[in-house]
Amino acid sequence: QHTGPEEADQPPSMSSHAGPPAPPSRNPCCLCWCCCCSCSWSEGRRPAWRASGESKLQPLPSCEACSTPSPEEVQSWAQSFDKLMHSPAGRSAFRAFLRTEYSEENMLFWLACEELKAEANQHVVDEKARLIYEDYVSILSPKEVSLDSRVREGINKKMQEPSAHTFDDAQLQIYTLMHRDSYPRFLSSPAYRALLLQGDSQSSHEA
C-alpha cells in the first residue's frame, strides 16, 4: 500500500526528540505526531479529545442519513462524481457503498479535511490536524488511507506548523482515487440501482 520507504511515512520529528523546541503554546514533547506517542499530551489529553473529536469530525454523515433524495437527484449522481459529492444524500449513499468495500476511511478522511478547512481557530486546527494524522495518515492506524510518498512527506513537513490546508494534497489524491476507482463500481452497484428504482416507483405513484 505504501509507495515510499517506511521512514518516509514517519513525521520528521519521529527520528529524534531532540529537535527545535515547540512554540510556547504547545506541549514541548509533542513533536511526535503518530499515535505511539507516550508523552503527557497523548496520555492525558488524547482520550478526551478523541471523544469530542469523533463527534465533531463526523456530524455531516449522521445528518445526511436523514435526507431523502429526489429521483432527479439520484439520477444526477451518474452525471459526474462532483454532483455526487456535492449532494449530502449522495455522500451518504456513497459512504455506505464504500463501507461494503472496506474503504469507508477514504470518505471519512475527505469529510474530516473538509471540516478542517472550515476551521478558523488555530488551537482547534492544531488538535484536529493531529487527530486526522493519527487516524488516517499514520502507518499505525487501521484506518490509514493510501497516499504516495511525495504527499506523505509534504504532510510530515506541514505538521510542524499545522494549518487548515495541511492535508489539501492528500485530500485531492483520495478524492481522485474514489472518483477513478470506487465511483464507477458504485454506479453499477445493486445499491445505486435500487435507489434509481425507488425513484422511478415514487415518480409513477405521484403521476
Side-chain angles (χ1 to χ4, degrees):
Q1 185 180 0
H2 311 301
T3 55
E6 184 167 331
E7 290 77 5
D9 290 345
Q10 298 285 359
S13 54
M14 285 298 294
S15 60
S16 171
H17 289 280
S25 61
R26 297 178 186 160
N27 190 320
C29 75
C30 273
L31 288 178
C32 43
W33 296 97
C34 90
C35 49
C36 65
C37 175
S38 59
C39 65
S40 60
W41 183 92
S42 181
E43 293 292 330
R45 294 179 59 196
R46 186 175 180 275
W49 170 251
R50 178 171 292 279
S52 62
E54 287 186 343
S55 63
K56 288 181 179 178
L57 286 177
Q58 300 180 35
L60 190 56
S62 298
C63 296
E64 288 170 359
C66 302
S67 60
T68 302
S70 67
E72 294 76 18
E73 184 177 0
V74 173
Q75 293 172 6
S76 74
W77 300 344
Q79 296 174 11
S80 74
F81 187 56
D82 285 344
K83 286 185 180 294
L84 173 69
M85 293 294 282
H86 278 86
S87 162
R91 288 192 298 267
S92 180
F94 187 51
R95 177 183 171 184
F97 170 76
L98 292 177
R99 190 179 302 125
T100 68
E101 295 201 332
Y102 305 98
S103 59
E104 183 185 13
E105 67 274 5
N106 289 332
M107 176 64 83
L108 294 176
F109 173 70
W110 187 87
L111 289 169
C113 292
E114 285 294 288
E115 183 168 321
L116 178 67
K117 288 192 293 187
E119 184 57 61
N121 184 299
Q122 184 58 45
H123 176 70
V124 177
V125 166
D126 288 352
E127 300 289 340
K128 286 187 176 181
R130 290 173 188 267
L131 185 62
I132 291 173
Y133 187 96
E134 291 176 0
D135 279 354
Y136 303 110
V137 181
S138 169
I139 61 172
L140 301 179
S141 174
K143 296 187 292 184
E144 178 195 7
V145 296
S146 180
L147 301 171
D148 64 35
S149 58
R150 176 189 63 82
V151 171
R152 284 179 175 275
E153 289 168 3
I155 292 175
N156 291 339
K157 293 176 181 177
K158 293 174 184 177
M159 284 299 291
Q160 296 178 22
E161 292 291 337
S163 76
H165 298 281
T166 292
F167 302 99
D168 280 6
D169 289 343
Q171 186 187 22
L172 177 60
Q173 190 167 93
I174 293 303
Y175 186 91
T176 302
L177 175 66
M178 291 191 293
H179 183 190
R180 294 178 178 175
D181 187 48
S182 303
Y183 175 59
R185 290 198 299 273
F186 169 71
L187 294 181
S188 60
S189 70
Y192 181 63
R193 289 200 298 270
L195 287 171
L196 288 174
L197 291 174
Q198 179 180 328
D200 292 340
S201 174
Q202 180 181 337
S203 298
S204 62
H205 280 106
E206 291 176 353

